[in-house]
Amino acid sequence: MLLQTLPARHVSEFAADVRASLTKAGQRELPSKYLYDEVGSALFESICVLPEYGLTRADARLLESFSGEIVSLLPRPVLVAEMGSGTGKKTRWILESLSQHQRTFYFPIEISPSALAACAKELGHIDLVSIVGYERPYLEGLAAAAERRAPGEHLLVLFLGSTIGNFDRDAGDEFLRRVRAILSPGDALLLGTDLMKPVEKLLLAYHDPVGVTAAFNLNLLARLNRELGADFDLGAFRHEARWNAMERRVEMHLRSAQRQSVRIRAADLRLSLAADETLWTESAHKYFPGEVFEMAARTGFRCDAQWIDDEWPFAQNLLFAE
Ligand code: AVI
């Protein structure tokens, strides 16, 4: 795999993001993108195999069953770019189906170099597939991948696993609009969306009995200790998964078990937390199937096809840039 990297972003950007979200008025927050350092990414891989977290298996089942059909609906020749490829395991089916028709360039886009390396290992040996990895934020990587196409070539963008659900709804629309602005009419976006299901089932998926999701959430504080010289006592925080019915989302919080004060040296910040005060670390929005068609229409796409898993309500949606 060829790798395109950018100079490392400075620790000060991380510190500034943390400072801004912890000091904003009202509910304190921590940006969810920082959940995924090396430890966090490994814990997320473990979440994906938990019996209570059916999302990843549903995503993979749909790709395994319908890749042939999805590929048959695409204009060709087509290059494939994936925002947040992770280890690339689920993408194999799409690339194998495509390679029955054409030689394919695949551009995984990830900020984590270890995920890109795993992806190259997983997918590096598929016949007629060449991989160029972009170690960049999603939109920067996508713009770079889009520049590589020759006249007449289309682009298929993969945004799987319901990562769109981690954006607030308005921010999700804005993100899709920005993706659309990089594409040309007729280009495709395969968008994975986790669907509404009973709330007890959703809460268990984000608060598993083994405690893997709790460790994933608490690792964010451990990361602040490691990288920003903070002194969070991890034993003084509890993982919490909450259902927000108005916004139709699961929220992950870290609840302070006592009144405490924390210092984050690199962010030049001292925090005073009340007992029971929470830090909001992530949202996972859940969708109704029809909503995806409306999202597509609002953001410059048309949703032409949708496949829904029978076991765990989850949809793969094939959108085309209008
Ligand atoms: C990456 N993302 C789609 C996951 C989700 O379900 O929202 C992240 C996650 N957080 C806790 N469990 C999984």
Side-chain angles (χ1 to χ4, degrees):
M1 177 181 72
L2 250 165
L3 188 60
Q4 311 283 324
T5 54
L6 281 180
R9 277 161 209 259
H10 209 260
V11 76
S12 61
E13 185 180 327
F14 181 18
D17 284 354
V18 164
R19 188 173 218 292
S21 32
L22 284 176
T23 53
K24 65 190 267 240
Q27 170 73 56
R28 294 188 202 269
E29 293 180 34
L30 282 168
S32 62
K33 67 177 176 182
Y34 295 113
L35 287 163
Y36 300 89
D37 66 343
E38 205 173 343
V39 178
S41 300
L43 287 166
F44 178 63
E45 286 299 311
S46 303
I47 289 175
C48 293
V49 294
L50 288 171
E52 294 80 12
Y53 190 79
L55 191 158
T56 309
R57 285 182 296 281
D59 194 13
R61 266 195 302 275
L62 290 169
L63 292 172
E64 184 173 11
S65 307
F66 298 110
S67 277
E69 201 177 319
I70 293 168
V71 161
S72 75
L73 296 170
L74 299 175
R76 283 198 297 268
V78 67
L79 314 179
V80 182
E82 178 165 18
M83 299 188 292
S85 59
T87 60
K89 245 181 241 159
K90 293 176 290 188
T91 313
R92 169 174 291 278
W93 292 294
I94 293 279
L95 295 178
E96 285 180 347
S97 297
L98 263 175
S99 67
Q100 291 174 13
H101 304 275
Q102 59 164 62
R103 168 170 282 287
T104 304
F105 267 98
Y106 170 56
F107 306 108
I109 303 161
E110 265 293 342
I111 37 172
S112 148
S114 54
L116 278 178
C119 184
K121 202 162 158 200
E122 174 76 30
L123 301 171
H125 301 291
I126 307 178
D127 269 353
L128 297 178
V129 173
S130 309
I131 308 184
V132 180
Y134 283 97
E135 192 186 318
R136 307 211 183 151
Y138 295 152
L139 294 170
E140 281 177 37
L142 184 59
E147 269 175 25
R148 295 186 69 122
R149 60 178 156 179
E153 282 181 327
H154 286 276
L155 202 57
L156 165 65
V157 180
L158 305 176
F159 198 35
L160 304 174
S162 203
T163 302
I164 188 70
N166 298 134
F167 291 80
D168 283 352
R169 287 178 200 275
D170 286 350
D173 276 10
E174 186 49 31
F175 181 77
L176 291 179
R177 273 186 208 106
R178 292 172 70 182
V179 169
R180 169 62 192 88
I182 295 170
L183 303 183
S184 303
D187 285 344
L189 168 66
L190 187 65
L191 180 70
T193 48
D194 198 27
L195 301 178
M196 268 304 292
K197 48 190 68 64
V199 170
E200 316 78 71
K201 205 169 174 174
L202 281 172
L203 288 177
L204 212 52
Y206 290 84
H207 199 156
D208 63 276
V210 173
V212 184
T213 312
F216 172 69
N217 200 7
L218 283 162
N219 176 59
L220 184 49
L221 302 185
R223 182 176 183 187
L224 297 184
N225 288 352
R226 286 190 294 266
E227 296 181 31
L228 299 184
D231 60 1
F232 282 98
D233 170 6
L234 269 60
F237 289 86
R238 305 280 172 267
H239 167 69
E240 193 172 298
R242 258 187 223 174
W243 176 245
N244 182 329
M246 283 274 284
E247 302 290 341
R248 240 179 312 115
R249 68 186 178 209
V250 179
E251 293 174 2
M252 288 205 317
H253 290 253
L254 288 163
R255 180 177 290 276
S256 173
Q258 63 206 39
R259 200 162 76 117
Q260 55 185 313
S261 139
V262 181
R263 184 160 174 225
I264 306 173
R265 228 178 262 130
D268 194 21
L269 185 66
R270 186 173 287 281
L271 273 183
S272 293
L273 295 173
D276 276 335
E277 182 171 359
T278 70
L279 310 179
W280 178 16
T281 52
E282 189 184 52
S283 298
H285 292 79
K286 304 299 162 187
Y287 302 89
F288 292 123
E291 211 177 333
V292 183
F293 291 80
E294 292 159 17
M295 261 160 74
R298 282 198 302 270
T299 56
F301 290 95
R302 186 185 72 244
C303 181
D304 270 9
Q306 186 177 64
W307 296 265
I308 297 181
D309 188 59
D310 296 331
E311 262 179 64
W312 176 278
F314 182 98
Q316 298 294 3
N317 310 280
L318 186 59
L319 277 56
F320 287 94
E322 293 264 54

